[in-house]
Amino acid sequence: MGKYDVLKAKGVSRRDFMKLMAVTTAALGLPAAIAPQAAKAVGEALAKPPVIWLSGMECTGCTTSTISTINPSAAELILDTLSIRYHEVIMAGTGETAEQAYAETLAEGNFILVVEGSTPPNEEKDDYCIVAGKPFRKTLLEAAEKAEAIIAVGSCACDGAGIPGASDITQAVGVRELLKANGIATPVINLPCCPVKSQTVIGTIVYYLTFKQVPELDSQGRPLVYYGGLLHDNCPRRGRFEAGQFLEDWNDPEQKDYCLLLKGCKGPKTYTDCASVWFNDNANFCLNAGSPCSGCSEAGFYSKFNPLYEKNDDFHVPGVVGQISPDLIGAGVGAVAAGYLAFSTAGNVARGRIGKKSKEHGGDE
Ligand code: SF4
């Protein structure tokens, strides 16, 4: 089967495919001239299935999110055509057949390894994640050694602090930490969020196939193109923040689009593109659905960001440390928020986030 026959079989012309590649590369901030090169790289991948997807301690939310696409989207096409060789949820094979597919792909090498979920840190904790009768940690290490590059999807895989690592019981760690402890230097691209968005996964795979190198990353290993801006700076409720209108009563219809800072919103410290690229093929995202940002793209989520639905006393907004409380609402808090704006803008300029790219990660105090 030719490399575009897979697309034809799905009723998608080469022209449509090129258009979808143009959309995907544009989302990456790449010049339009790159689209044909990206299409060629993905086209070549049709004949050379390059992906192993391993699942450790996780809820499968990142898989669900990645495959939640609307027909026919770039994500669906690319996921289908990449022929992911091993993925416990979506692969047709089971049992020994599945393990054989994994072993063969491993032996061939030259694959991209996608990791979903965290891992036990050492032999002592291995019992918390056994897959196919084998400690997941060992499987991850052997695959990581042979992979060209690793994409850690979701908060759990990135730093181990997601839900499976929220208590001390599992002592779960992320991919980068495990590899560092074991002296493995394969590059790791972290794509946090709980769950990751399909556009982020697909865009990163396309970027890697096109350029054969990892995109520019911040200090948490996240591509700047997706995690370079503060959610707070692009939030649709930002005008309410500036006006000092903070939601206190969920049942008051007048407050329904107020700023959710007092309800635990972590947007002022969370670097993500969630305000502009939504989940489920742009169907919606947390703040638009009425939920505060939980900070899931930041290292330390979930435990460091708990409680999620009330303002944590330890959560200080730069320049507004501790000042915003229900008592202040209606008493000039807009000026306080304006003070934050001045502080934030000056800070962003000083740190190079405005005017030029920065490798700094979020979580400023
Ligand atoms: Fe939006 Fe949260 Fe910032 Fe309020 S605090 S403007 S809800 S990101």
Side-chain angles (χ1 to χ4, degrees):
M1 193 179 252
K3 62 187 181 184
Y4 290 107
D5 291 347
V6 182
L7 304 174
K8 267 190 216 154
K10 295 179 71 67
V12 177
S13 67
R14 186 173 186 283
R15 188 189 169 96
D16 289 337
F17 179 65
M18 294 303 288
K19 271 194 216 159
L20 290 165
M21 293 311 300
V23 169
T24 302
T25 50
L28 282 161
L30 298 173
I34 293 295
Q37 189 185 340
K40 182 168 176 283
V42 174
E44 283 167 4
L46 308 187
K48 184 186 170 194
V51 178
I52 289 178
W53 184 303
L54 294 179
S55 302
M57 295 196 281
E58 43 87 13
C59 69
T60 313
C62 289
T63 287
T64 306
S65 175
T66 304
I67 63 178
S68 293
T69 59
I70 297 165
N71 281 321
S73 72
E76 186 199 359
L77 288 173
I78 292 165
L79 280 173
D80 278 1
T81 52
L82 281 177
S83 297
I84 295 172
R85 287 253 192 119
Y86 184 88
H87 187 308
E88 287 147 21
V89 177
I90 61 176
M91 70 189 299
T94 57
E96 288 181 6
T97 310
E99 294 312 305
Q100 192 180 339
Y102 166 74
E104 285 170 4
T105 309
L106 198 66
E108 286 171 25
N110 295 325
F111 56 88
I112 296 174
L113 175 62
V114 179
V115 182
E116 177 177 4
S118 51
T119 172
N122 50 43
E123 200 170 348
E124 197 187 320
K125 295 285 179 180
D126 271 349
D127 282 352
Y128 286 108
C129 194
I130 303 286
V131 179
K134 184 174 166 187
F136 172 73
R137 180 183 60 86
K138 287 190 175 173
T139 304
L140 174 52
L141 286 173
E142 77 181 1
E145 268 190 315
K146 296 198 171 171
E148 274 187 29
I150 302 171
I151 301 175
V153 297
S155 307
C156 302
C158 291
D159 79 338
I163 304 297
S167 75
D168 267 351
I169 298 171
T170 62
Q171 292 179 6
V173 295
V175 178
R176 276 207 311 180
E177 189 175 338
L178 184 77
L179 265 54
K180 192 175 171 198
N182 288 273
I184 297 173
T186 311
V188 179
I189 305 167
N190 277 341
L191 305 181
C193 274
C194 187
V196 71
K197 290 188 281 277
S198 61
Q199 299 94 321
T200 316
V201 181
I202 299 309
T204 303
I205 291 175
V206 167
Y207 185 97
Y208 187 80
L209 289 174
T210 305
F211 298 107
K212 287 288 177 190
Q213 65 181 36
V214 302
E216 192 178 1
L217 307 177
D218 69 4
S219 63
Q220 290 186 29
R222 305 173 294 187
L224 282 171
V225 67
Y226 298 123
Y227 302 92
L230 267 182
L231 173 60
H232 185 62
D233 288 343
N234 298 298
C235 179
R237 296 171 188 254
R238 177 63 179 258
R240 299 298 193 172
F241 173 90
E242 292 175 36
Q245 293 175 318
F246 298 92
L247 186 143
E248 284 188 277
D249 180 1
W250 292 109
N251 296 315
D252 180 353
E254 271 197 23
Q255 298 183 26
K256 74 177 168 45
D257 59 355
Y258 280 17
C259 171
L260 296 172
L261 187 68
L262 295 180
K263 295 300 181 187
C265 185
K266 312 298 187 291
K269 288 188 180 180
T270 300
Y271 287 89
T272 176
D273 63 357
C274 288
S276 46
V277 181
W278 295 1
F279 291 84
N280 296 333
D281 256 355
N282 289 313
N284 213 341
F285 86 111
C286 304
L287 282 161
N288 198 54
S291 169
C293 167
S294 57
C296 69
S297 66
E298 291 297 323
F301 173 82
Y302 157 86
S303 53
K304 253 177 70 181
F305 292 80
N306 188 31
L308 299 186
Y309 295 105
E310 57 190 75
K311 187 170 178 298
N312 185 332
D313 286 344
D314 295 333
F315 186 81
H316 303 302
V317 178
V320 198
V321 182
Q323 290 102 322
I324 295 180
S325 68
D327 294 342
L328 274 174
I329 292 175
V333 75
V336 176
Y340 164 78
L341 287 179
F343 179 93
S344 171
T345 304
N348 277 333
V349 170
R351 290 190 293 265
R353 284 197 178 277
I354 295 177
K356 64 177 180 150
K357 282 185 176 176
S358 165
K359 289 189 176 183
E360 187 183 349
H361 65 83
D364 311 318
E365 286 294 334

